[in-house]
Amino acid sequence: MKGSDFNRRKFIKGSAATAGLALLAGLPKETLASYEHLPNKTIYTGPEGNIVTNPIAPKIKFGVVGINHSHVNAMVDAVIRGGGEFVSFYAKEPELTGPFARKYPQAKLVASENAVLEDPSIQVILSSIIPLERAPLGVRVMKHGKDYLVDKPGIITLEQLAEVRKVQKETKRIYNIMYSERFENKGTVKAGELVMAGEIGKVIQTIGIGPHQVNPKTRPDWFWDKKYYGGIICDIGSHQFDQFLYFTGSTEAQVVSSQVGNVNHPNYPQFEDFGDVVVRGNKGMGYVRNDWFTPDGLGSWGDGRLTILGTEGYIEVRKNIDVGLPDHGGNHVYMANNKGVQVIDASKGPLPFGELFVNDVVNRTETAMTQAHCFLATEIALKAQHNAQVIPLKLS
């Protein structure tokens, strides 16, 4: 059996070199070694078992500092898809570096943060370090003349935001936050295409809900203390504010009301398990709800949904799971407008963020996300968090 597997891998590698990537795209992941290297291309099995490739010769080189949240895997995959070459990474936790190194063997594990920051071949740093440390790291990255892509929440206090804005303005570097519920969700990408095509007229309001599964046994200590993650609206809500700005086209916004609370986790007094916000922009309105009450029986970490109300129709995106359909798949888009009703399976659609981001690094453009948008989405979340009324521990 081992000999047969070895010969099969040799056949795949040889066939890919002569017949191209089209052959490999249709093969089951079991027939592909973890990594195979072709000229100017890297092929590997992604986090969902999918085959991810560098479709073109790398345009940039990047490194990673801090891997405390698994979101970093999707970030790395996106930049690789977009034309990035993963060079090196650093993390201070040995229990995290082993699995990450096995997943990305092309990247060198280095002994210090500076070994990544001071590498002249690297243009971009990615990070999913503990949220409290993300903005200070980003400041160091920009001062080293490099661009930065960070997991959300990318900034957790208004003081951090002021410092990041100051250094970004001085250095002219890119400070992007990976709002993955838009950039890494094919249903939300499709909804964007429909809205931009005018299918529901002018957007009036977005309703974004971000339920999550708490999984206490898997969470590190910092997860339970908002000093380290910023609070529920700052953390999860940053996704929904990004989508509110994007779909309404708002460039200004104010928080009308916000509330947060810990209503069911008394053993973790510094944790927040519920929050919601009403926001008003200069081109639309929004409502945001975040919680940690996804039941174990759902089959997903959260039934995330986005509803977009327009003057000529509306769209609902069921992002991760659709409990009303037999296969319960995600990336389903429902649209009703003056032409009728559509149910769209967007699961095979594109994820353009990685390529747009890499091109922005190369061309010094803002096609993936403008810097103003990135900071404004964070500012709204931070103000909503800071000014939120606190819900009593036990509702009566």
Side-chain angles (χ1 to χ4, degrees):
M1 181 63 72
K2 289 183 179 179
S4 173
D5 287 345
F6 174 78
N7 291 333
R8 184 167 53 185
R9 289 193 179 106
K10 283 183 65 178
F11 168 75
I12 292 168
K13 186 173 181 179
S15 298
T18 57
L21 294 177
L23 172 66
L24 282 175
L27 291 172
K29 63 178 181 176
E30 290 81 4
T31 65
L32 185 66
S34 296
Y35 283 78
E36 300 286 355
H37 297 284
L38 303 175
N40 298 324
K41 297 179 177 70
T42 301
I43 307 168
Y44 67 98
T45 302
E48 308 259 331
N50 55 309
I51 295 174
V52 184
T53 69
N54 265 116
I56 53 178
K59 300 177 182 179
I60 64 166
K61 294 184 177 182
F62 72 94
V64 170
V65 175
I67 55 175
N68 294 86
H69 198 293
S70 61
H71 285 163
V72 71
N73 297 326
M75 294 164 62
V76 168
D77 292 345
V79 176
I80 289 175
R81 287 196 308 267
E85 179 183 341
F86 189 8
V87 175
S88 63
F89 74 96
Y90 169 73
K92 57 189 175 184
E93 303 88 357
E95 68 275 15
L96 300 178
T97 57
F100 192 71
R102 289 190 292 274
K103 181 171 179 58
Y104 299 105
Q106 77 272 43
K108 180 182 179 182
L109 172 61
V110 295
S112 69
E113 174 186 303
N114 282 342
V116 183
L117 296 187
E118 296 175 2
D119 184 339
S121 74
I122 289 176
Q123 295 112 300
V124 180
I125 305 296
L126 277 55
S127 182
S128 69
I129 202 166
I130 292 172
L132 176 65
E133 302 176 25
R134 291 174 185 173
L137 173 60
V139 168
R140 296 194 296 274
V141 167
M142 291 188 291
K143 287 183 175 180
H144 276 81
K146 302 183 190 303
D147 297 320
Y148 189 50
L149 178 62
V150 62
D151 186 19
K152 67 82 212 167
I155 301 165
I156 70 165
T157 69
L158 289 166
E159 292 76 17
Q160 285 186 346
L161 177 61
E163 177 67 8
V164 167
R165 276 179 158 154
K166 173 176 175 291
V167 175
Q168 191 281 324
K169 184 177 181 180
E170 292 170 351
T171 62
K172 309 299 183 187
R173 307 317 302 177
I174 296 170
Y175 191 113
N176 269 188
I177 298 171
M178 183 60 153
Y179 296 117
S180 56
E181 287 193 23
R182 176 161 68 96
F183 296 137
E184 285 293 300
N185 185 270
K186 295 177 180 180
T188 311
V189 171
K190 182 62 179 178
E193 294 174 0
L194 296 170
V195 168
M196 300 310 160
E199 292 290 342
I200 60 169
K202 181 181 177 181
V203 174
I204 300 169
Q205 184 204 40
T206 62
I207 299 175
I209 61 171
H212 282 60
Q213 192 172 41
V214 72
N215 292 324
K217 294 180 181 179
T218 68
R219 300 295 183 178
D221 291 343
W222 60 263
F223 172 83
W224 303 105
D225 190 340
K226 73 177 196 175
K227 175 177 67 177
Y228 295 100
Y229 71 88
I232 191 168
I233 295 174
C234 166
D235 179 13
I236 305 174
S238 58
H239 286 302
Q240 280 71 47
F241 293 116
D242 161 66
Q243 291 162 75
F244 157 74
L245 293 176
Y246 174 72
F247 284 106
T248 65
S250 292
T251 55
E252 301 173 9
Q254 60 178 329
V255 177
V256 177
S257 65
S258 58
Q259 60 181 347
V260 296
N262 180 344
V263 300
N264 198 48
H265 293 84
N267 293 336
Y268 301 101
Q270 300 305 313
F271 184 62
E272 292 174 348
D273 55 22
F274 181 89
D276 69 348
V277 184
V278 175
V279 60
R280 183 186 303 128
N282 58 334
K283 293 187 178 181
M285 296 163 283
Y287 172 74
V288 172
R289 192 200 81 206
N290 306 122
D291 69 77
W292 287 99
F293 293 114
T294 292
D296 293 342
L298 180 66
S300 168
W301 56 263
D303 189 359
R305 300 192 189 190
L306 169 68
T307 301
I308 309 162
L309 175 65
T311 55
E312 299 174 23
Y314 65 89
I315 291 170
E316 182 183 358
V317 184
R318 300 192 180 184
K319 298 186 177 187
N320 313 309
I321 189 169
D322 192 339
V323 295
L325 293 181
D327 65 359
H328 300 313
N331 293 298
H332 292 154
V333 180
Y334 294 78
M335 181 172 71
N337 60 14
N338 293 329
K339 302 172 188 176
V341 177
Q342 291 186 57
V343 181
I344 302 167
D345 180 0
S347 61
K348 292 181 170 54
L351 290 173
F353 173 80
E355 184 171 3
L356 294 173
F357 174 76
V358 169
N359 288 340
D360 286 343
V361 171
V362 174
N363 301 320
R364 311 316 295 169
T365 50
E366 294 187 319
T367 61
M369 173 173 53
T370 68
Q371 193 64 72
H373 173 107
C374 176
F375 286 155
L376 181 57
T378 291
E379 179 183 338
I380 303 168
L382 293 175
K383 287 181 175 179
Q385 181 73 52
H386 184 266
N387 297 323
Q389 293 185 351
V390 178
I391 303 166
L393 180 62
K394 292 183 179 180
L395 298 176
S396 57

